[in-house]
Amino acid sequence: MANREALRDLQNRLAERMQAARTQARGTAWLAVECRGLGLLLPLQQAGEIFPLVPLLPVPHTLSWFAGVANLRGGVYGVVDLSAFLGLGARAGAEAQREQARLVALNAAVGLNCALLVDRLAGLRNAEQLLPDTNPAADVKPAFAGQRFRDADGRAWQEILLGELASHDQFLSIVG
């Protein structure tokens, strides 16, 4: 019970900080999330509301990373399992992991009723907390992969440009 209350408090604090960050012109800010242990940064201007994991209605004949559709505040949203889409593997079904999982809706300005299923929230980050990664991996990145950063602890963070993701051909092709 205490864990649920702590998670709810964290989510409320994040929502308040996200709103404050959107209204202040302080530079670049991101919502930090984790997918299968990988640190990802979602630009706040492109991210929308955060929701707890709700029951998903599966959609037949779609690719495995398309988790289904969800009713979020009366709107129908397609839900993409971000871990599976990025090729990190599908989410495990353990109850503890489900409790931390969240749906991050894309901002309405992006133009898609879509939410990303992430393993857990990791807080907010801003440009002052991160340094560009001077030794990025040499592999080819898709157009939606922005900069790589490192935090003060040396942890790597990959920026995901949600506007680019929303217009990426693979992301838009959910039929299997």
Side-chain angles (χ1 to χ4, degrees), residues 119-150:
D119 293 344
R120 74 177 204 89
L121 300 177
L124 295 176
R125 302 292 186 275
N126 60 48
E128 293 81 33
Q129 295 172 301
L130 301 168
L131 296 172
D133 193 343
T134 57
N135 189 15
D139 56 338
V140 177
K141 297 187 296 186
F144 59 82
Q147 279 190 277
R148 286 183 56 84
F149 296 93
R150 293 220 175 253

Side-chain angles (χ1 to χ4, degrees), residues 9-33 40-51 102-108 116 118 120-126 162:
D9 289 343
L10 172 65
Q11 187 173 357
N12 289 336
R13 286 193 315 270
L14 282 174
E16 290 169 3
R17 289 179 61 193
M18 282 178 63
Q19 185 60 35
R22 282 190 186 113
T23 58
Q24 298 172 354
R26 295 188 317 192
T28 307
W30 298 273
L31 173 64
V33 300
L40 301 172
L41 300 171
L42 309 178
L44 281 181
Q45 292 85 3
Q46 299 171 358
E49 192 169 352
I50 300 168
F51 298 93
R102 293 292 181 263
L103 298 173
V104 179
L106 301 185
N107 190 302
L116 303 174
V118 299
R120 74 177 204 89
L121 300 177
L124 295 176
R125 302 292 186 275
N126 60 48
L162 298 178

